[in-house]
Amino acid sequence: MQVTINVNGEPITRDVEPRKLLVHFIREDAELRGTHWGCDTSNCGACTLWVDGEAVKSCTVLAAQADGHDVRTVEGMETEAGLDPVQQGFIECHGLQCGFCTPGMMMTARWLLDHNPHPSEEEIREAISGQICRCTGYKNIVEAIQWAADHPATSEVNA
Amino acid sequence: MQTPAPTDYVRATSVANAIALLEEHGEEARILAGGHSLLPMMKLRIARPEMLIDINDLDELRGIRVEGDELVLGAMVTHREVLESPILSEHYAVFREAEKVIADPLVRNRGTVGGSMCQADPSEDLSALGAALRGTVVIQNSSGSRTVPLREFHEGPYETKVGPAEMLTEVRFPIRPGAGSAYEKVERRVGDWAVCSAGVFVTVKDGVVADCGIGLTAVGAEHFCAPDAEAFLIGKAPTEENLRAAAKLAGDASDPSSDQRGPADYKKHLAEELTFRALTRAAAASQGA
Protein backbone atom coordinates (compact mmCIF):
# COMPACT_ATOMS: atom_id res chain seq x y z
CA MET A 1 0.00 0.00 0.00
CA GLN A 2 1.08 3.58 -0.57
CA VAL A 3 1.47 5.86 2.41
CA THR A 4 2.37 9.52 2.73
CA ILE A 5 3.71 10.53 6.10
CA ASN A 6 4.70 14.08 6.97
CA VAL A 7 8.05 13.62 8.61
CA ASN A 8 9.43 16.78 10.21
CA GLY A 9 7.23 18.80 7.87
CA GLU A 10 8.21 16.97 4.69
CA PRO A 11 5.73 14.59 3.04
CA ILE A 12 7.35 11.23 2.31
CA THR A 13 5.47 8.84 0.04
CA ARG A 14 6.45 5.18 -0.20
CA ASP A 15 4.99 1.79 -1.02
CA VAL A 16 5.05 -0.29 2.14
CA GLU A 17 3.72 -3.58 3.40
CA PRO A 18 0.79 -2.97 5.77
CA ARG A 19 2.69 -4.82 8.48
CA LYS A 20 5.64 -2.43 8.40
CA LEU A 21 6.28 -0.75 11.73
CA LEU A 22 6.65 3.01 11.83
CA VAL A 23 10.15 2.77 13.31
CA HIS A 24 11.30 0.85 10.23
CA PHE A 25 9.58 3.30 7.87
CA ILE A 26 11.43 6.16 9.54
CA ARG A 27 14.80 4.40 9.45
CA GLU A 28 14.60 2.58 6.11
CA ASP A 29 12.21 4.59 3.97
CA ALA A 30 12.63 8.10 5.34
CA GLU A 31 16.31 7.25 5.96
CA LEU A 32 16.32 9.07 9.26
CA ARG A 33 18.38 6.92 11.57
CA GLY A 34 18.30 9.18 14.59
CA THR A 35 15.28 7.23 15.78
CA HIS A 36 16.71 4.08 17.29
CA TRP A 37 15.25 0.63 17.20
CA GLY A 38 15.83 -1.15 20.47
CA CYS A 39 13.79 -3.80 22.20
CA ASP A 40 10.98 -4.47 19.71
CA THR A 41 8.59 -5.00 22.63
CA SER A 42 7.49 -1.45 23.56
CA ASN A 43 9.62 -1.56 26.68
CA CYS A 44 12.77 0.46 25.99
CA GLY A 45 11.49 3.64 24.33
CA ALA A 46 14.55 4.11 22.09
CA CYS A 47 12.13 4.44 19.14
CA THR A 48 10.11 7.26 20.70
CA LEU A 49 8.97 9.94 18.28
CA TRP A 50 5.88 12.09 17.95
CA VAL A 51 2.73 11.30 15.99
CA ASP A 52 0.43 14.32 15.74
CA GLY A 53 2.21 15.94 18.66
CA GLU A 54 2.05 12.94 21.02
CA ALA A 55 5.15 11.01 22.06
CA VAL A 56 4.73 7.35 21.14
CA LYS A 57 6.81 4.21 20.78
CA SER A 58 7.14 3.82 17.03
CA CYS A 59 7.82 0.07 17.23
CA THR A 60 4.20 -0.31 18.27
CA VAL A 61 2.59 1.78 15.54
CA LEU A 62 2.19 0.67 11.93
CA ALA A 63 3.48 2.95 9.20
CA ALA A 64 0.00 2.50 7.70
CA GLN A 65 -1.51 4.06 10.81
CA ALA A 66 0.65 7.15 10.34
CA ASP A 67 -0.49 7.61 6.73
CA GLY A 68 -1.59 11.23 6.39
CA HIS A 69 -0.33 12.11 9.85
CA ASP A 70 2.49 14.30 11.17
CA VAL A 71 5.58 12.63 12.57
CA ARG A 72 8.38 14.47 14.31
CA THR A 73 11.70 12.78 14.94
CA VAL A 74 14.86 13.79 16.74
CA GLU A 75 16.15 15.24 13.46
CA GLY A 76 13.30 17.75 13.67
CA MET A 77 14.34 19.11 17.05
CA GLU A 78 16.96 21.58 15.89
CA THR A 79 15.54 24.70 14.27
CA GLU A 80 17.14 27.56 12.36
CA ALA A 81 17.53 29.23 15.73
CA GLY A 82 19.80 26.40 16.82
CA LEU A 83 19.65 23.39 19.07
CA ASP A 84 16.55 22.73 21.13
CA PRO A 85 17.21 23.50 24.82
CA VAL A 86 16.70 19.79 25.48
CA GLN A 87 19.57 18.97 23.13
CA GLN A 88 21.69 21.65 24.75
CA GLY A 89 20.78 20.29 28.18
CA PHE A 90 22.03 16.82 27.25
CA ILE A 91 25.32 18.43 26.19
CA GLU A 92 25.63 20.63 29.28
CA CYS A 93 24.79 17.88 31.77
CA HIS A 94 26.44 14.94 30.03
CA GLY A 95 23.01 13.36 29.59
CA LEU A 96 24.33 10.51 27.49
CA GLN A 97 26.99 7.88 27.52
CA CYS A 98 26.55 5.39 24.67
CA GLY A 99 23.79 7.51 23.13
CA PHE A 100 21.43 4.71 22.21
CA CYS A 101 18.49 5.83 24.34
CA THR A 102 19.20 9.53 23.77
CA PRO A 103 16.91 10.33 20.79
CA GLY A 104 13.93 8.74 22.52
CA MET A 105 14.76 10.40 25.82
CA MET A 106 15.01 13.80 24.13
CA MET A 107 11.72 13.40 22.25
CA THR A 108 9.95 12.50 25.48
CA ALA A 109 11.68 15.38 27.29
CA ARG A 110 10.50 17.91 24.69
CA TRP A 111 6.96 16.46 24.89
CA LEU A 112 7.03 16.71 28.68
CA LEU A 113 8.27 20.30 28.70
CA ASP A 114 5.68 21.37 26.12
CA HIS A 115 2.94 20.10 28.45
CA ASN A 116 4.62 20.91 31.75
CA PRO A 117 7.34 23.58 31.41
CA HIS A 118 8.44 23.33 35.06
CA PRO A 119 8.36 19.64 35.99
CA SER A 120 9.55 18.39 39.36
CA GLU A 121 12.25 15.72 39.45
CA GLU A 122 9.53 13.18 40.18
CA GLU A 123 7.52 14.29 37.15
CA ILE A 124 10.60 14.01 34.94
CA ARG A 125 11.31 10.51 36.23
CA GLU A 126 7.67 9.55 35.65
CA ALA A 127 7.78 10.94 32.10
CA ILE A 128 10.80 8.82 31.13
CA SER A 129 9.62 5.76 33.08
CA GLY A 130 8.83 3.99 29.82
CA GLN A 131 12.40 4.31 28.64
CA ILE A 132 15.52 2.39 29.47
CA CYS A 133 19.08 3.72 29.62
CA ARG A 134 21.29 0.66 29.65
CA CYS A 135 24.23 2.79 30.78
CA THR A 136 22.00 3.61 33.80
CA GLY A 137 22.73 7.29 33.33
CA TYR A 138 19.35 8.41 34.59
CA LYS A 139 20.70 10.98 37.02
CA ASN A 140 22.33 13.01 34.28
CA ILE A 141 19.35 12.56 31.96
CA VAL A 142 17.07 14.01 34.64
CA GLU A 143 19.51 16.87 35.17
CA ALA A 144 19.67 17.51 31.42
CA ILE A 145 15.88 17.81 31.27
CA GLN A 146 15.92 20.08 34.32
CA TRP A 147 18.55 22.22 32.58
CA ALA A 148 16.27 22.51 29.54
CA ALA A 149 13.36 23.51 31.78
CA ASP A 150 15.52 26.19 33.35
CA HIS A 151 16.69 27.46 29.95
CA PRO A 152 13.64 27.72 27.67
CA ALA A 153 14.46 28.65 24.08
CA THR A 154 15.94 32.13 23.99
CA SER A 155 18.41 33.83 21.70
CA GLU A 156 20.92 33.50 24.53
CA VAL A 157 20.62 29.73 24.64
CA ASN A 158 20.69 29.41 20.90
CA ALA A 159 23.51 31.89 20.29
CA MET B 1 13.74 -8.85 15.02
CA GLN B 2 10.05 -9.08 15.66
CA THR B 3 7.80 -8.37 12.73
CA PRO B 4 4.11 -9.13 12.39
CA ALA B 5 3.09 -11.75 9.83
CA PRO B 6 1.79 -10.32 6.55
CA THR B 7 -1.60 -8.73 6.95
CA ASP B 8 -3.92 -6.34 5.19
CA TYR B 9 -5.03 -2.98 6.48
CA VAL B 10 -8.08 -0.83 6.04
CA ARG B 11 -9.38 2.25 7.79
CA ALA B 12 -12.98 2.12 8.91
CA THR B 13 -15.03 5.24 8.21
CA SER B 14 -17.73 4.61 10.82
CA VAL B 15 -18.73 2.02 13.42
CA ALA B 16 -21.25 0.60 10.93
CA ASN B 17 -18.50 0.41 8.32
CA ALA B 18 -16.13 -1.31 10.77
CA ILE B 19 -18.76 -3.94 11.54
CA ALA B 20 -19.49 -4.42 7.83
CA LEU B 21 -15.75 -4.91 7.25
CA LEU B 22 -15.62 -7.45 10.09
CA GLU B 23 -18.50 -9.35 8.47
CA GLU B 24 -16.86 -9.17 5.06
CA HIS B 25 -13.46 -10.44 6.21
CA GLY B 26 -14.62 -13.03 8.72
CA GLU B 27 -12.91 -14.38 11.79
CA GLU B 28 -9.37 -13.55 10.66
CA ALA B 29 -10.10 -9.82 10.77
CA ARG B 30 -9.28 -7.80 13.87
CA ILE B 31 -10.13 -4.31 15.06
CA LEU B 32 -6.99 -2.17 15.48
CA ALA B 33 -7.47 0.47 18.17
CA GLY B 34 -4.39 1.80 19.99
CA GLY B 35 -2.50 -1.31 18.89
CA HIS B 36 -0.51 -1.55 22.10
CA SER B 37 -1.80 -5.02 22.88
CA LEU B 38 -2.52 -6.33 19.39
CA LEU B 39 0.73 -5.29 17.68
CA PRO B 40 2.96 -6.88 20.36
CA MET B 41 0.86 -10.06 20.06
CA MET B 42 1.25 -9.91 16.28
CA LYS B 43 5.01 -9.43 16.57
CA LEU B 44 5.17 -12.54 18.73
CA ARG B 45 3.00 -14.25 16.08
CA ILE B 46 0.53 -15.20 18.82
CA ALA B 47 -2.00 -13.20 16.82
CA ARG B 48 -2.00 -13.47 13.02
CA PRO B 49 -4.98 -11.50 11.76
CA GLU B 50 -5.27 -11.36 7.99
CA MET B 51 -7.02 -8.01 8.01
CA LEU B 52 -6.61 -5.10 10.37
CA ILE B 53 -9.54 -2.70 10.58
CA ASP B 54 -8.19 0.57 11.97
CA ILE B 55 -10.79 2.49 13.98
CA ASN B 56 -8.56 5.45 14.89
CA ASP B 57 -10.50 7.80 12.61
CA LEU B 58 -13.81 7.15 14.38
CA ASP B 59 -14.47 10.25 16.46
CA GLU B 60 -17.80 8.72 17.50
CA LEU B 61 -15.77 6.36 19.71
CA ARG B 62 -13.93 9.16 21.50
CA GLY B 63 -14.80 11.30 24.45
CA ILE B 64 -15.68 10.98 28.13
CA ARG B 65 -19.11 12.24 29.15
CA VAL B 66 -21.82 12.05 31.79
CA GLU B 67 -25.07 10.58 30.53
CA GLY B 68 -27.84 10.55 33.14
CA ASP B 69 -26.38 8.76 36.17
CA GLU B 70 -23.55 7.11 34.22
CA LEU B 71 -20.02 7.95 33.17
CA VAL B 72 -19.56 7.01 29.53
CA LEU B 73 -16.16 6.35 27.95
CA GLY B 74 -15.90 5.81 24.22
CA ALA B 75 -13.91 2.73 23.25
CA MET B 76 -11.12 4.89 21.74
CA VAL B 77 -10.54 6.97 24.87
CA THR B 78 -6.84 6.65 25.67
CA HIS B 79 -5.36 5.74 29.04
CA ARG B 80 -3.91 9.23 29.24
CA GLU B 81 -7.35 10.77 28.75
CA VAL B 82 -8.69 8.65 31.61
CA LEU B 83 -5.73 9.64 33.80
CA GLU B 84 -6.23 13.34 33.14
CA SER B 85 -10.05 13.47 33.03
CA PRO B 86 -11.49 15.92 35.58
CA ILE B 87 -14.96 14.36 35.13
CA LEU B 88 -13.74 10.88 36.08
CA SER B 89 -11.60 12.13 39.00
CA GLU B 90 -14.54 14.09 40.35
CA HIS B 91 -16.59 10.92 40.73
CA TYR B 92 -13.96 8.26 41.41
CA ALA B 93 -10.35 8.68 42.53
CA VAL B 94 -9.80 5.10 41.41
CA PHE B 95 -9.60 6.04 37.73
CA ARG B 96 -6.59 8.28 38.29
CA GLU B 97 -4.97 5.93 40.78
CA ALA B 98 -5.28 2.93 38.47
CA GLU B 99 -4.22 4.73 35.32
CA LYS B 100 -1.14 6.19 36.98
CA VAL B 101 0.22 2.65 37.32
CA ILE B 102 -0.88 1.30 33.94
CA ALA B 103 2.13 0.87 31.64
CA ASP B 104 4.07 4.12 31.09
CA PRO B 105 3.23 7.61 29.77
CA LEU B 106 4.11 6.78 26.15
CA VAL B 107 1.98 3.64 26.11
CA ARG B 108 -0.84 5.54 27.81
CA ASN B 109 -0.71 8.11 25.00
CA ARG B 110 -1.72 5.46 22.51
CA GLY B 111 -3.40 2.55 24.32
CA THR B 112 -7.19 2.68 24.61
CA VAL B 113 -9.82 1.67 27.13
CA GLY B 114 -11.75 -0.42 24.60
CA GLY B 115 -8.59 -2.12 23.38
CA SER B 116 -7.50 -3.04 26.90
CA MET B 117 -10.93 -4.42 27.73
CA CYS B 118 -11.06 -6.51 24.55
CA GLN B 119 -7.52 -7.79 24.98
CA ALA B 120 -8.80 -9.12 28.33
CA ASP B 121 -5.38 -9.91 29.73
CA PRO B 122 -5.82 -11.77 33.05
CA SER B 123 -3.63 -9.06 34.63
CA GLU B 124 -5.47 -6.09 33.11
CA ASP B 125 -5.83 -3.28 35.67
CA LEU B 126 -8.96 -1.86 34.03
CA SER B 127 -10.68 -5.22 34.49
CA ALA B 128 -10.31 -4.91 38.26
CA LEU B 129 -11.52 -1.33 38.12
CA GLY B 130 -14.47 -2.25 35.90
CA ALA B 131 -15.47 -5.16 38.13
CA ALA B 132 -15.19 -3.02 41.28
CA LEU B 133 -17.39 -0.26 39.90
CA ARG B 134 -19.77 -2.78 38.29
CA GLY B 135 -19.39 -1.13 34.92
CA THR B 136 -20.98 -2.28 31.70
CA VAL B 137 -19.84 -2.40 28.11
CA VAL B 138 -21.84 -1.72 24.98
CA ILE B 139 -21.24 -4.26 22.22
CA GLN B 140 -22.48 -3.49 18.75
CA ASN B 141 -23.14 -5.66 15.70
CA SER B 142 -25.01 -5.16 12.46
CA SER B 143 -28.40 -5.80 14.02
CA GLY B 144 -27.99 -3.46 16.97
CA SER B 145 -26.26 -3.17 20.31
CA ARG B 146 -26.46 -4.80 23.71
CA THR B 147 -25.18 -3.94 27.15
CA VAL B 148 -23.11 -6.51 29.05
CA PRO B 149 -22.09 -6.17 32.72
CA LEU B 150 -18.31 -6.24 33.07
CA ARG B 151 -18.75 -8.99 35.66
CA GLU B 152 -20.09 -11.19 32.85
CA PHE B 153 -17.84 -9.84 30.09
CA HIS B 154 -14.92 -12.25 30.39
CA GLU B 155 -15.20 -15.79 29.09
CA GLY B 156 -11.65 -16.59 30.15
CA PRO B 157 -8.12 -15.27 29.66
CA TYR B 158 -8.06 -13.16 26.48
CA GLU B 159 -11.67 -14.13 25.74
CA THR B 160 -14.68 -11.88 26.00
CA LYS B 161 -18.34 -11.72 25.04
CA VAL B 162 -17.40 -9.69 21.97
CA GLY B 163 -18.12 -12.10 19.10
CA PRO B 164 -16.94 -12.15 15.50
CA ALA B 165 -18.39 -9.22 13.55
CA GLU B 166 -18.97 -7.34 16.79
CA MET B 167 -17.17 -4.48 18.46
CA LEU B 168 -17.09 -2.86 21.85
CA THR B 169 -18.14 0.77 21.47
CA GLU B 170 -18.52 2.12 25.03
CA VAL B 171 -17.66 1.41 28.64
CA ARG B 172 -20.10 2.76 31.23
CA PHE B 173 -19.88 3.22 34.98
CA PRO B 174 -22.67 4.11 37.38
CA ILE B 175 -22.18 7.38 39.29
CA ARG B 176 -22.49 6.89 43.06
CA PRO B 177 -22.71 10.11 45.04
CA GLY B 178 -20.78 9.87 48.28
CA ALA B 179 -18.65 6.91 47.21
CA GLY B 180 -14.94 6.80 48.00
CA SER B 181 -12.62 4.71 45.84
CA ALA B 182 -9.00 3.62 45.72
CA TYR B 183 -6.54 1.47 43.77
CA GLU B 184 -3.56 -0.46 45.11
CA LYS B 185 -1.06 -2.25 42.89
CA VAL B 186 2.15 -4.15 43.43
CA GLU B 187 4.35 -4.46 40.37
CA ARG B 188 7.90 -5.69 39.93
CA ARG B 189 8.98 -2.51 38.19
CA VAL B 190 7.34 0.61 36.82
CA GLY B 191 5.09 -0.12 33.87
CA ASP B 192 4.89 -3.87 34.40
CA TRP B 193 1.77 -5.96 34.69
CA ALA B 194 0.46 -6.30 38.22
CA VAL B 195 1.67 -8.99 40.57
CA CYS B 196 -1.70 -8.18 42.12
CA SER B 197 -3.96 -5.13 42.11
CA ALA B 198 -7.08 -4.30 44.09
CA GLY B 199 -9.56 -1.59 43.10
CA VAL B 200 -12.51 -0.75 45.33
CA PHE B 201 -15.30 1.70 46.00
CA VAL B 202 -17.09 2.12 49.33
CA THR B 203 -20.16 4.20 50.13
CA VAL B 204 -20.57 4.83 53.85
CA LYS B 205 -23.97 6.11 54.98
CA ASP B 206 -25.01 6.68 58.59
CA GLY B 207 -21.87 5.01 59.82
CA VAL B 208 -22.27 1.76 57.90
CA VAL B 209 -21.25 0.50 54.47
CA ALA B 210 -24.28 1.03 52.24
CA ASP B 211 -22.60 -0.19 49.04
CA CYS B 212 -19.19 -1.39 47.94
CA GLY B 213 -17.36 -3.08 45.10
CA ILE B 214 -14.08 -5.00 45.16
CA GLY B 215 -12.08 -5.78 42.01
CA LEU B 216 -8.91 -7.87 41.83
CA THR B 217 -6.61 -8.48 38.91
CA ALA B 218 -3.78 -10.91 38.13
CA VAL B 219 -4.77 -13.34 40.87
CA GLY B 220 -7.39 -15.48 39.14
CA ALA B 221 -10.45 -14.08 40.91
CA GLU B 222 -13.53 -15.14 38.99
CA HIS B 223 -14.77 -12.19 36.92
CA PHE B 224 -12.09 -10.07 38.64
CA CYS B 225 -14.32 -9.55 41.71
CA ALA B 226 -14.84 -10.67 45.30
CA PRO B 227 -18.62 -10.85 45.88
CA ASP B 228 -18.46 -12.61 49.27
CA ALA B 229 -16.25 -9.86 50.64
CA GLU B 230 -18.66 -7.22 49.35
CA ALA B 231 -21.71 -8.97 50.84
CA PHE B 232 -19.93 -9.25 54.18
CA LEU B 233 -19.32 -5.51 54.41
CA ILE B 234 -22.83 -4.29 53.56
CA GLY B 235 -24.55 -2.92 56.65
CA LYS B 236 -21.38 -3.11 58.76
CA ALA B 237 -19.37 -0.23 60.17
CA PRO B 238 -16.11 0.32 58.23
CA THR B 239 -13.95 -0.54 61.22
CA GLU B 240 -10.45 -1.91 60.82
CA GLU B 241 -11.68 -5.28 62.06
CA ASN B 242 -14.52 -5.45 59.51
CA LEU B 243 -12.34 -4.24 56.64
CA ARG B 244 -9.72 -6.86 57.60
CA ALA B 245 -12.36 -9.58 57.60
CA ALA B 246 -13.65 -8.47 54.20
CA ALA B 247 -10.09 -8.35 52.85
CA LYS B 248 -9.58 -11.93 54.07
CA LEU B 249 -12.64 -12.98 52.03
CA ALA B 250 -11.20 -11.15 49.02
CA GLY B 251 -7.98 -13.12 49.47
CA ASP B 252 -10.10 -16.28 49.50
CA ALA B 253 -11.73 -15.18 46.22
CA SER B 254 -8.32 -15.18 44.54
CA ASP B 255 -6.87 -18.27 42.93
CA PRO B 256 -3.43 -17.19 41.76
CA SER B 257 -0.80 -19.23 39.94
CA SER B 258 2.87 -19.25 40.76
CA ASP B 259 4.94 -17.69 38.00
CA GLN B 260 7.85 -15.33 37.43
CA ARG B 261 5.92 -12.60 39.23
CA GLY B 262 5.80 -14.57 42.44
CA PRO B 263 4.53 -17.66 44.25
CA ALA B 264 0.80 -18.24 44.64
CA ASP B 265 0.71 -17.78 48.42
CA TYR B 266 2.48 -14.43 48.12
CA LYS B 267 -0.07 -13.25 45.57
CA LYS B 268 -2.93 -14.42 47.79
CA HIS B 269 -1.40 -12.43 50.62
CA LEU B 270 -1.24 -9.41 48.32
CA ALA B 271 -4.89 -9.82 47.31
CA GLU B 272 -5.86 -9.62 50.96
CA GLU B 273 -3.48 -6.85 51.99
CA LEU B 274 -4.08 -4.62 48.95
CA THR B 275 -7.84 -5.02 49.34
CA PHE B 276 -7.51 -3.97 52.98
CA ARG B 277 -5.45 -0.90 52.11
CA ALA B 278 -7.80 0.12 49.30
CA LEU B 279 -10.90 -0.42 51.44
CA THR B 280 -9.38 1.63 54.26
CA ARG B 281 -8.64 4.59 52.00
CA ALA B 282 -11.96 4.36 50.12
CA ALA B 283 -14.01 4.20 53.33
CA ALA B 284 -12.14 7.19 54.71
CA ALA B 285 -12.73 9.12 51.48
CA SER B 286 -16.43 8.30 51.56
CA GLN B 287 -16.61 9.70 55.08
CA GLY B 288 -14.81 12.85 53.96
CA ALA B 289 -11.72 12.04 55.96
Side-chain angles (χ1 to χ4, degrees):
Chain A
M1 65 181 290
Q2 192 178 73
V3 298
T4 300
I5 302 175
N6 292 309
V7 184
N8 301 325
E10 186 192 339
I12 295 179
T13 302
R14 295 285 188 278
D15 274 312
V16 299
E17 278 190 86
R19 63 171 166 167
K20 185 163 214 163
L21 301 169
L22 182 56
V23 63
H24 298 311
F25 178 92
I26 293 298
R27 289 177 58 84
E28 295 165 11
D29 297 282
E31 295 183 53
L32 294 171
R33 299 197 175 86
T35 300
H36 289 168
W37 164 47
C39 72
D40 249 340
T41 56
S42 26
N43 280 293
C44 81
C47 64
T48 300
L49 45 67
W50 294 8
V51 176
D52 296 335
E54 297 293 351
V56 300
K57 294 178 176 179
S58 63
C59 75
T60 312
V61 178
L62 297 174
Q65 289 178 282
D67 184 21
H69 291 267
D70 294 321
V71 167
R72 188 182 180 202
T73 70
V74 70
E75 290 89 347
M77 282 193 103
E78 186 179 359
T79 64
E80 283 178 12
L83 292 180
D84 188 286
V86 166
Q87 294 173 304
Q88 195 65 41
F90 273 71
I91 294 170
E92 300 289 336
C93 301
H94 193 63
L96 63 151
Q97 292 180 54
C98 83
F100 196 82
C101 72
T102 312
M105 289 287 185
M106 293 200 299
M107 292 309 286
T108 299
R110 182 73 268 154
W111 176 77
L112 168 71
L113 295 178
D114 283 358
H115 290 82
N116 179 3
H118 304 290
S120 64
E121 181 183 336
E122 190 190 341
E123 287 170 330
I124 292 172
R125 288 184 178 272
E126 159 73 10
I128 60 169
S129 62
Q131 282 157 281
I132 293 172
C133 167
R134 274 291 81 129
C135 309
T136 71
Y138 297 103
K139 183 172 181 294
N140 287 6
I141 291 169
V142 171
E143 284 173 5
I145 298 171
Q146 278 167 332
W147 189 96
D150 293 340
H151 298 79
T154 62
S155 52
E156 188 184 24
V157 170
N158 294 321
Chain B
M1 174 172 173
Q2 292 183 3
T3 300
T7 183
D8 258 325
Y9 172 92
V10 62
R11 282 186 188 177
T13 54
S14 65
V15 169
N17 174 240
I19 291 167
L21 287 165
L22 280 171
E23 286 183 334
E24 182 187 337
H25 294 283
E27 290 212 18
E28 296 310 313
R30 282 288 176 278
I31 295 283
L32 178 62
H36 275 51
S37 299
L38 181 56
L39 291 177
M41 297 287 267
M42 288 174 66
K43 287 195 275 185
L44 293 167
R45 308 282 173 116
I46 293 169
R48 301 182 73 133
E50 289 166 11
M51 171 61 80
L52 292 172
I53 301 165
D54 187 345
I55 57 171
N56 279 275
D57 288 348
L58 307 189
D59 289 339
E60 59 194 295
L61 296 176
R62 296 194 185 273
I64 297 169
R65 62 185 190 277
V66 174
E67 223 177 82
D69 55 0
E70 284 189 310
L71 298 165
V72 183
L73 284 68
M76 287 301 293
V77 167
T78 63
H79 290 290
R80 175 168 167 232
E81 288 170 325
V82 175
L83 176 67
E84 296 181 351
S85 165
I87 300 173
L88 296 180
S89 292
E90 181 193 328
H91 293 283
Y92 291 109
V94 70
F95 280 106
R96 193 180 159 72
E97 291 187 8
E99 282 292 355
K100 209 164 165 36
V101 289
I102 291 177
D104 61 60
L106 306 178
V107 171
R108 291 197 294 261
N109 274 347
R110 193 87 191 165
T112 65
V113 169
S116 294
M117 288 295 185
C118 289
Q119 173 72 7
D121 190 287
S123 301
E124 173 57 49
D125 285 291
L126 288 186
S127 296
L129 187 155
L133 300 183
R134 293 194 202 93
T136 57
V137 294
V138 177
I139 299 171
Q140 200 165 323
N141 60 31
S142 58
S143 52
S145 67
R146 66 184 192 281
T147 300
V148 176
L150 272 168
R151 291 190 176 191
E152 297 168 19
F153 178 64
H154 298 91
E155 303 267 85
Y158 308 102
E159 277 184 67
T160 72
K161 286 270 196 314
V162 181
E166 290 192 326
M167 64 185 283
L168 184 155
T169 54
E170 281 175 0
V171 186
R172 293 171 164 259
F173 300 95
I175 292 171
R176 298 180 177 92
S181 62
Y183 202 78
E184 293 281 345
K185 176 175 181 173
V186 167
E187 54 190 353
R188 294 179 303 176
R189 57 173 190 277
V190 169
D192 194 13
W193 294 104
V195 179
C196 174
S197 299
V200 309
F201 86 87
V202 179
T203 309
V204 181
K205 269 190 195 139
D206 304 323
V208 297
V209 174
D211 195 6
C212 69
I214 299 172
L216 291 168
T217 197
V219 286
E222 197 175 357
H223 295 300
F224 297 90
C225 57
D228 291 346
E230 295 165 355
F232 171 84
L233 268 188
I234 303 295
K236 291 200 173 66
T239 60
E240 184 178 340
E241 187 188 357
N242 283 334
L243 299 183
R244 270 279 168 217
K248 174 82 173 57
L249 290 170
D252 293 344
S254 72
D255 183 19
S257 315
S258 296
D259 60 17
Q260 77 276 16
R261 289 192 174 79
D265 57 350
Y266 167 61
K267 294 183 184 179
K268 210 171 189 54
H269 163 76
L270 282 181
E272 182 178 332
E273 182 59 30
L274 298 182
T275 301
F276 174 72
R277 291 179 195 176
L279 284 173
T280 302
R281 289 200 294 116
S286 176
Q287 297 171 96

